């Protein structure tokens, strides 16, 4: 039986349909399976292998023991919505109202999905930067939108202003901005953020920001677009606690912004997950209220891991691009004699006992020459795991 429907355009938007029309698994599933088969160190997927702050974990346990195990309120618990509002005011000077301007979601991905489904009509254009987090392509297609991209090229992975101006037109419904950026690790500079805000106003577009790595930056300050003059009234800010607090499996995300936009997204979101993670919501509120020193320590620990893996990749012969934030570092395999990163990643477990993912997995054109030899490695792992990976990568020398 041939089963057609929106799922197929979702798969096509995500780049999972081959030339013969067959649907394949994601490169992440393929590489993770390869890691299991070979026993290689998995630096492909971006999830930590150690727990986050004890106070956050302890509050989740306490919430379960208090019996907070049933449906929470649809928009999220008031305490968590208040903590999100406090967080936005404390770090950025924003003041969303917990009653109507903050929505708790099943991770940032659900927030993105509900937003696009709520706001994008058939044929509306959604502009993202490329490479892009792989969910974007599938979600834009599911919402029947048209995906337009602006390239981020090595070595700095900042967009060309003229290309950005050309991409945003009166057909643009949403400018989807991911900064700090996965997969490149770049933090978009202020000139780019100002230009995005200017273009959104000129073309009456909505800005949707994915800021899940907002606290994981290294010597570069994250600036939310919503803080720029005139931008707050057309910006939905999306984030989550999974990356900051090493609790990716909890799937507690949120968005904030103008009441009318949040209402639109809430209308769709309530028919997706409805609610989720009752005992994790008070735990996330605890995390957001940790002192500044805790956030600094989290970023500092990750910076040390970045530097360890970066040095190991350079010593192994890669050209590396030092990230300003996130969990990821991009390396070029060309100096090692590989111009096809996908083939290289499939061989890497045997060559070095390490798994990574090709940057082509984050592109509309899987054969784009700008990214053909680039590989993404995740450094959000225990130090001893990264040291084992570095030892394996050293086998590539020569």
């Amino acid at each position: 039986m041939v089963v057609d429907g929106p799922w197929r355009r979702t798969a096509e938007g995500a780049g999972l349909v081959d030339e013969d029309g067959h649907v394949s698994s994601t490169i992440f599933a393929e590489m993770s399976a390869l890691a299991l088969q070979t026993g290689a160190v998995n630096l492909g997927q971006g999830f930590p292998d150690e727990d986050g702050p004890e106070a956050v974990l302890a509050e989740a346990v306490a919430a379960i023991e208090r019996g907070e195990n049933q449906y929470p309120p649809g928009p999220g618990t008031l305490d968590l919505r208040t903590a999100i509002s406090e967080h936005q005011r404390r770090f950025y000077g924003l003041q969303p109202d917990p009653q109507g301007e903050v929505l708790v979601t099943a991770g940032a991905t659900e927030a993105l999905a509900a937003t696009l489904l709520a706001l994008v009509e058939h044929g509306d254009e959604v502009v993202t930067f490329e490479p892009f987090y792989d969910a974007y392509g599938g979600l834009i297609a599911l919402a029947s939108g048209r995906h337009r991209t602006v390239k981020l090229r090595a070595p700095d992975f900042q967009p060309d202003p003229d290309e950005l101006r050309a991409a945003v037109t009166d057909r643009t419904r949403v400018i989807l901005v991911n900064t700090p950026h996965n997969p490149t690790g770049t933090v978009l500079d202020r000139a780019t953020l100002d230009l995005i805000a200017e273009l959104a106003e000129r073309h009456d577009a909505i800005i949707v920001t994915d800021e899940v790595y907002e606290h994981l930056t290294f010597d570069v300050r994250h600036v939310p677009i919503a803080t720029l003059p005139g931008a707050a009234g057309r910006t939905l800010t999306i984030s989550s606690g999974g990356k900051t607090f090493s609790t990716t499996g909890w799937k507690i995300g949120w968005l904030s912004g103008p009441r009318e936009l949040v209402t639109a997204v809430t209308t769709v979101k309530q028919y997706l997950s409805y609610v989720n993670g009752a005992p994790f919501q008070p735990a996330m509120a605890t995390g957001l209220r940790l002192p500044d020193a805790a956030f600094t320590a989290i970023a500092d620990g990750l910076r040390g891991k970045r530097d360890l893996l970066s040095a190991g990749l350079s010593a192994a012969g890669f050209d590396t691009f030092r990230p300003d934030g996130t969990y990821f570092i991009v390396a070029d395999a060309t100096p090692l004699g590989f111009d096809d990163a996908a083939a290289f990643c499939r061989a890497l477990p045997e060559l070095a006992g390490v798994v990574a993912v090709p940057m082509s997995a984050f592109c509309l054109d899987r054969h784009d020459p700008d990214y053909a030899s680039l590989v993404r490695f995740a450094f959000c792992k225990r130090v001893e795991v990264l040291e084992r990976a570095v030892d394996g990568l050293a086998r590539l020398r020569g």
Side-chain angles (χ1 to χ4, degrees), residues 185-206:
T186 196
V187 175
L188 296 180
D189 59 30
R190 179 59 186 263
T192 297
L193 300 182
D194 285 334
L195 180 56
I196 292 168
E198 173 193 324
L199 292 171
E201 182 175 9
R202 181 186 308 166
H203 297 286
D204 195 25
I206 297 168

Side-chain angles (χ1 to χ4, degrees), residues 216-380:
L216 306 180
T217 62
F218 319 120
D219 307 314
V220 177
R221 180 170 168 261
H222 167 64
V223 178
I225 289 185
T227 63
L228 273 54
R234 61 175 66 251
T235 300
L236 280 171
T237 302
I238 294 173
S239 193
S240 75
K243 301 299 192 296
T244 299
F245 304 123
S246 297
T247 53
T248 58
W250 290 7
K251 297 301 290 181
I252 302 295
W254 52 82
L255 61 80
S256 61
R259 190 176 303 271
E260 60 272 23
L261 291 179
V262 174
T263 297
V265 177
T266 301
T267 303
V268 171
K269 179 262 185 293
Q270 65 190 345
Y271 297 111
L272 297 177
S273 66
Y274 178 50
V275 294
N276 76 297
F280 300 134
Q281 293 195 29
M284 202 56 66
T286 294
L288 291 174
R289 290 171 174 140
L290 290 173
D292 290 2
F295 290 89
T296 300
I298 290 168
D300 286 346
L302 201 57
R303 180 192 289 106
K305 295 177 179 183
R306 175 202 65 176
D307 293 345
L308 170 60
L309 182 58
S310 178
L313 289 167
S314 295
F318 292 90
D319 283 342
T320 59
F321 306 99
R322 195 175 184 85
D324 294 324
T326 76
Y327 282 171
F328 308 109
I329 186 168
V330 177
D332 189 346
T334 302
L336 295 168
F338 293 89
D339 57 10
D340 182 340
F344 174 70
C345 286
R346 292 184 175 102
L348 192 57
E350 291 297 330
L351 294 172
V354 174
V355 161
V357 293
M359 287 284 278
S360 58
F362 306 93
C363 300
L364 288 176
D365 179 359
R366 297 294 192 250
H367 304 289
D368 191 321
D370 284 330
Y371 310 105
S373 60
L374 301 185
V375 182
R376 190 195 76 171
F377 293 86
F379 52 82
C380 52

Side-chain angles (χ1 to χ4, degrees), residues 22-220:
H22 299 121
V23 178
S24 61
S25 61
T26 68
I27 191 70
F28 310 99
E30 179 186 350
M31 292 297 106
S32 291
L34 196 56
L36 287 173
Q37 292 167 11
T38 62
V41 177
N42 189 353
L43 303 186
Q45 284 193 284
F47 59 86
D49 59 358
E50 55 189 339
D51 288 330
E54 177 58 35
V56 177
L57 305 178
E59 179 56 27
V61 173
I64 292 171
E65 292 177 342
R66 288 195 302 267
E68 297 186 35
N69 302 305
Q70 310 309 322
Y71 292 138
T77 64
L78 178 57
D79 184 52
L80 177 53
R81 284 181 281 133
T82 300
I84 293 164
S85 178
E86 292 168 352
H87 169 276
Q88 295 301 90
R89 182 169 61 253
R90 169 184 165 194
F91 286 101
Y92 310 123
L94 299 168
Q95 299 191 52
D97 184 350
Q99 301 279 18
E101 294 183 338
V102 178
L103 173 66
V104 177
T105 59
T109 302
E110 188 196 38
L112 289 162
T115 296
L116 294 172
L117 290 170
L119 301 176
V120 175
E121 299 276 12
H122 179 79
D124 283 347
E125 293 188 355
V126 179
V127 175
T128 75
F129 293 106
E130 185 176 20
F132 49 85
Y133 175 53
D134 65 307
Y136 296 170
L139 293 176
I140 292 167
L142 180 61
S144 297
R146 297 183 61 191
H147 191 181
R148 296 199 63 182
T149 64
V150 178
K151 286 188 177 183
L152 305 179
R153 298 181 179 88
D156 63 355
F157 296 110
Q158 297 286 337
D160 180 277
D162 290 334
E163 292 182 7
L164 179 54
R165 291 188 185 95
V168 179
T169 70
D170 289 344
R171 296 184 299 275
T172 303
R173 176 61 167 165
V174 170
I175 306 173
L176 175 49
V177 182
N178 176 207
T179 184
H181 182 262
N182 172 16
T184 67
T186 196
V187 175
L188 296 180
D189 59 30
R190 179 59 186 263
T192 297
L193 300 182
D194 285 334
L195 180 56
I196 292 168
E198 173 193 324
L199 292 171
E201 182 175 9
R202 181 186 308 166
H203 297 286
D204 195 25
I206 297 168
I207 303 170
V208 178
T209 68
D210 177 351
E211 304 181 15
V212 298
Y213 295 99
E214 60 185 311
H215 290 293
L216 306 180
T217 62
F218 319 120
D219 307 314
V220 177

